[in-house]
């Protein structure tokens, strides 16, 4: 009983103690231990006394069995309190209020104001110290009054609460609480609520089966001095727990004891077992039979905890309460083996469930070094089923964790074999048709379908069975063929008598039987209505062959694995489709050009294909464009978007735009695509957009050896000089494509002949394990070699910077510059005088003779004279004629006008307009490109 002294005025010491506690001061002498412990718990979870957030849940209810036991007790208690301003609260095992009975109107309104009403959470971690939550946390009766409440809003009340346990399971089923205004409070409330709780517990015991009650009574009557077991220590009462080292067992120790006790109760020929526990302790387990007054028989397992030091309070039942028993079906396995419930066959009848007696916490006083207790009470047959059920749950839990960790078909099959061996079988094999391995639909499977052995698991070497990679064709009589045809698992408990199985290969399988394999379960791998293959489980070392009960577990394992294999197959198909699309969109070979020597690499990411691309595009005037880009994301959409952008760059290059203008047009295109202005296959669906893309564009002129570069949010390019020095070009970043706004800036630099220009995407230098600066330094180090070819540079960079399976796709482009020397270039400055046309023809003829191209003189003279004539007649400024001898003969005429000529078909009566038409007919290609000072009309003629 709580002394009356705790109800003293809160204006005094308790208010002051509470304030000092919140500031971190010690208040041990001023506050009761249970209340102080509760305050500490409240502070540890971050509760604030003046601010609470109380969750609400609708539709809360208690078990019907419990309500039948509690209803008469609560009705009687409500009647006895009808003249008193006091309310009765019934809460569930989580502290949430289910019912509130009695109390006058004023009290109910006050309680509603603080959300102490049905549906609201009254657990200690939510509302602080109170009769419900603290009783649940202490796992015993409590009385809290006034300022002992942690929360300010609960100060006007006094309350007494206690947990209500199921006497057979020991579980807390509910919490019973009495609450009134503080001035009406009396510690006798605690007595009332405890008596009501005991009445409910007694009625719950009455609802137990006669067998359960008889076995429990038989154990209570039995002495602890059974043969082979130490005598009960002096001063302790039979059937009660000692207060030794075992009274404070940790949860892992308890789980180990539960598992060993279940195995012992299921083993009819074993009596003793020893278990090593933490803290240097050990436990001796004794199994013995008990018999009830009506002849009921059962088995108990007792434990004696020996040695070790106290390992701290881990209480599972309240002090001073009768120890209960917990059904094995409610026992949680160790954390690493905890699994969700699975569909497993239960016992054919309903015998008593094996039960576990849980230890109550004990006060922290000096402890003896031994502790005797009851662990299990139940029936051996049910104990065996419980052990088998637990092991099956553990196996299914392991399967859920370990099967399907990758989207690789073969690896998933291997994981199935690894999980099954040795827990379920001594040998397991997985056979799949080749189309499944390639991501395709397998089609109907039958006896004539060849399968490929993909995975094998074995406790030892089995040379006489097919190995990984072997092609297997099962004859129609084999269990594998029958399971494929029927879609159901097939059990062969005695393989020596299975003629259909032996018919597959009599000589080989006879040696298998000699090696000890004796039983088989074969299960088709079916997922989403499709049969993907077959898995076979063999036993040899297990003393017991497969039984009918093992079929359900084998089917569950195969079903889970089949879904994972089908997911991997579908991913493989999508990945192959995306990869084929991407490869069709990337460059196929190197274009013909003389400006640079090029090498490139593309590596898809581990997660799938992405949107990285590169390009080498020949331009007019022997120049070349180098492009590297990156579309955000992976998969089909990224690959398709990459193709759209690459096509757009090619089209813009055909206009001979400067680099900054080209990226401006590309940025505008991406912006329009992101806004959904493209066409969709379905007119009701908007374009999915690009989401994000970066690009680096460079143009190199081998005549001037100058390179113009611009970028849109892309990593910096690197230049490796002929002497091996490495510099990253100080190039303004620009915004990624599609954002618009700021114009792009171009940087020009002169490159020595033999320099290497290295362009790449961010996957080369950046991932989740290193930042971009570290990646750039590693790239600088590996590039600092002057004697490598572009191919060798690509190999060295990828080998040094990339893991075996990169997380992002990578595009790398290395171009070593060449120069078009003066001996291959001829140019003339021409005045704006029609008389100069004849001199230009003579100069062209002379230069072609020097190059040994006399046979081209007539055509080139005609083309040059037409272009020079047009420039003098229609343009302004200085005129320049230039010949370049490259892979083709290039003739260029530049002037100071920004007007481009237009090809048209002259009419019969027109005196002019045929010059450009004639040029177009005589040349292979022609076009116009603009310069800061005007334009250049260029033509290309094939060399002989």
């Amino acid at each position: 009983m709580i002394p009356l002294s705790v109800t003293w005025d809160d204006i005094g010491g308790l208010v002051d103690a509470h304030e000092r506690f919140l500031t971190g001061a010690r208040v041990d002498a001023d506050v009761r231990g249970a209340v102080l412990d509760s305050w500490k718990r409240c502070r540890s979870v971050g509760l604030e006394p003046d601010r609470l957030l109380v969750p609400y849940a609708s539709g809360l209810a208690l078990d019907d069995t419990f309500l039948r036991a509690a209803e008469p007790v609560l009705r009687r208690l409500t009647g006895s309190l009808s003249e008193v301003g006091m309310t009765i609260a019934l809460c569930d095992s989580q502290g949430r209020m289910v019912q509130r009975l009695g109390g006058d109107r004023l009290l109910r309104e006050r309680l509603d104001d603080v959300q102490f009403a049905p549906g609201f959470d009254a657990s200690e971690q939510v509302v602080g110290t109170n009769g419900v939550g603290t009783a649940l946390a202490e796992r015993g009766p409590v009385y809290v009054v006034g300022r002992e409440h942690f929360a300010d809003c609960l100060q006007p009340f006094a309350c007494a609460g206690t947990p209500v346990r199921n006497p057979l399971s020991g579980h807390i089923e509910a919490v019973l609480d009495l609450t009134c205004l503080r001035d009406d409070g009396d510690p006798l409330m605690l007595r009332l609520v405890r008596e009501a709780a005991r009445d409910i517990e007694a009625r719950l015991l009455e609802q137990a089966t006669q067998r359960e009650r008889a076995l429990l009574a038989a154990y209570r009557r039995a002495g602890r001095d059974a043969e082979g077991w130490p005598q009960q220590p002096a001063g302790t009462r039979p059937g009660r727990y000692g207060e030794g080292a075992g009274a404070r067992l940790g949860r892992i120790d308890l789980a180990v004891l539960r598992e060993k006790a279940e195995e012992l109760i299921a083993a009819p020929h074993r009596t003793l077992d020893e278990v090593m526990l933490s803290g240097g302790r050990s436990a001796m387990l004794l199994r013995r039979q008990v018999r009830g007054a009506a002849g009921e028989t059962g088995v108990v397992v007792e434990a004696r905890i020996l040695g070790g030091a106290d390992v701290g309070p881990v209480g599972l039942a309240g002090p001073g309460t009768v120890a209960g028993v917990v059904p094995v079906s409610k026992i949680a396995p160790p954390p690493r083996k905890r699994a969700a419930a699975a569909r497993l066959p239960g016992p054919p009848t309903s015998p008593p469930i094996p039960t576990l007696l849980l230890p109550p916490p004990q006060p922290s006083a000096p402890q003896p070094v031994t502790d005797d207790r009851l662990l299990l009470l139940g029936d051996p047959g049910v104990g065996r089923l419980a052990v088998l059920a637990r092991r099956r749950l553990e196996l299914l839990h392991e399967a859920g964790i370990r099967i399907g960790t990758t989207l690789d078909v073969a690896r998933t099959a291997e994981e199935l074999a690894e999980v099954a061996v040795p827990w379920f079988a001594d040998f397991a094999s997985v056979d799949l048709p080749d189309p499944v391995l390639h991501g395709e639909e397998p089609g109907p499977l039958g006896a004539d379908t060849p399968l490929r052995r993909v995975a094998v698991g074995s406790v030892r070497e089995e040379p006489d069975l097919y190995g990984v990679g072997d092609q297997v064709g099962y004859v129609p009589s084999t269990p594998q063929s029958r399971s494929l045809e029927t879609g159901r698992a097939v059990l062969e408990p005695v393989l020596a008598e299975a003629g259909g199985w032996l018919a597959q290969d009599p000589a080989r399988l006879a040696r298998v039987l000699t090696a000890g394999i004796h039983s088989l379960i074969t299960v088709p791998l079916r997922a989403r209505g499709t049969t993907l293959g077959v898995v076979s489980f063999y036993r040899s070392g297990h003393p017991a062959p497969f039984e009918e009960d093992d079929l359900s577990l084998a089917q569950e394992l195969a079903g889970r694995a089949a879904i994972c294999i089908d997911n991997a197959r579908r991913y493989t198909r999508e990945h192959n489709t995306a990869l084929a699309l991407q490869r069709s969109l990337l460059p196929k070979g190197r274009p013909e050009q003389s400006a640079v020597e090029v090498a490139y690499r593309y590596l898809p990411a581990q997660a799938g294909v992405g949107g990285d691309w590169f390009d080498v595009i020949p331009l007019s005037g022997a120049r070349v464009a180098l492009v590297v880009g990156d579309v955000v994301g992976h998969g089909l959409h990224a690959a398709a978007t990459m193709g759209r952008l690459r096509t757009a760059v090619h089209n813009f290059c055909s206009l001979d735009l400067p680099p900054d203008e080209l990226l401006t047009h590309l940025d505008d295109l991406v912006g329009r695509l992101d806004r959904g202005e493209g066409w969709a296959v379905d007119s009701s669906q908007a374009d999915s957009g690009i989401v994000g893309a970066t690009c680096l564009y460079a143009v190199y002129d081998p005549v001037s050896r100058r390179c113009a570069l611009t970028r849109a949010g892309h990593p910096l390019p690197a230049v490796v000089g002929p002497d091996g020095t490495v510099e990253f070009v100080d190039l303004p970043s620009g915004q990624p494509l599609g954002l618009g706004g700021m114009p792009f800036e171009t940087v020009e630099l002169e490159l020595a002949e033999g320099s290497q220009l290295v362009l790449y995407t961010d996957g080369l230098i950046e991932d989740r394990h290193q930042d971009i600066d570290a990646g750039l330094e590693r790239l600088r180090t590996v590039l600092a070699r002057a004697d490598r070819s572009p191919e060798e540079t690509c190999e060295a960079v990828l080998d040094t910077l990339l893991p075996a399976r990169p997380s992002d796709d990578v595009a790398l482009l290395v171009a070593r510059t060449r120069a078009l020397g003066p001996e291959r270039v001829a140019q003339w400055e021409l005045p704006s005088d029609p008389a100069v046309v004849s001199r230009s023809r003579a100069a062209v003829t002379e230069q072609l003779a020097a190059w040994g191209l006399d046979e081209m003189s007539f055509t080139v003279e005609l083309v040059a004279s037409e272009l020079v004539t047009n420039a003098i007649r229609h343009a302004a400024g200085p005129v320049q004629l230039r010949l370049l001898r490259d892979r083709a003969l290039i003739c260029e005429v530049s002037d100071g006008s920004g007007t481009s000529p237009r090809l048209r078909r002259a009419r019969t009566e027109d005196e002019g307009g045929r010059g450009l038409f004639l040029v177009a007919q005589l040349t292979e290609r022609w076009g116009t490109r603009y310069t800061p000072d005007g334009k250049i009309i260029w033509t290309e003629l094939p060399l002989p």
Side-chain angles (χ1 to χ4, degrees), residues 289-359:
Q289 290 188 343
V290 294
R291 182 180 297 274
E296 303 89 352
T297 58
V299 175
V300 295
V301 175
E302 299 170 327
R304 181 176 176 84
I305 313 300
L306 306 173
D310 193 5
V311 295
V314 182
L316 299 181
T321 60
V322 177
V325 280
V326 176
V328 168
S329 59
K330 299 182 181 179
I331 295 174
R336 65 183 179 87
K337 296 183 178 179
R338 185 169 297 124
R343 297 186 298 275
L344 295 170
T349 58
S350 55
I353 305 267
T355 53
L356 172 67
L357 197 60
L358 295 178

Side-chain angles (χ1 to χ4, degrees), residues 507-525:
R508 176 197 296 262
L509 297 183
R511 294 193 297 270
V512 171
L513 292 176
T514 304
I517 288 182
H518 55 71
S519 60
L520 163 69
I521 289 180
T522 178
V523 188
L525 294 168

Side-chain angles (χ1 to χ4, degrees), residues 124-146:
E124 190 178 74
Q125 64 267 26
V126 173
V127 299
T129 310
N130 71 92
V132 175
T134 304
L136 195 58
E138 292 286 332
R139 308 186 73 82
V142 296
Y143 178 71
V144 182
V145 59

Side-chain angles (χ1 to χ4, degrees), residues 55 86 190 265 572 853:
M86 191 175 298
L190 193 59
I265 202 172
T572 301
L853 300 175

Side-chain angles (χ1 to χ4, degrees), residues 4 145 157 223 247 267 697 840 944:
L4 290 175
V145 59
F157 304 100
Y697 183 78
S840 66

Side-chain angles (χ1 to χ4, degrees), residues 918-931:
L918 185 63
V919 168
Q921 294 298 312
L922 294 176
T923 62
E924 191 173 61
R925 293 196 309 153
W926 76 279
T928 305
R929 72 173 181 268
Y930 293 92
T931 67

Side-chain angles (χ1 to χ4, degrees), residues 210-211 213-219 221 290-298:
Q210 181 180 0
R211 183 181 178 87
R213 294 197 301 271
L215 287 176
L216 184 59
Y219 173 75
R221 291 193 303 270
V290 294
R291 182 180 297 274
E296 303 89 352
T297 58

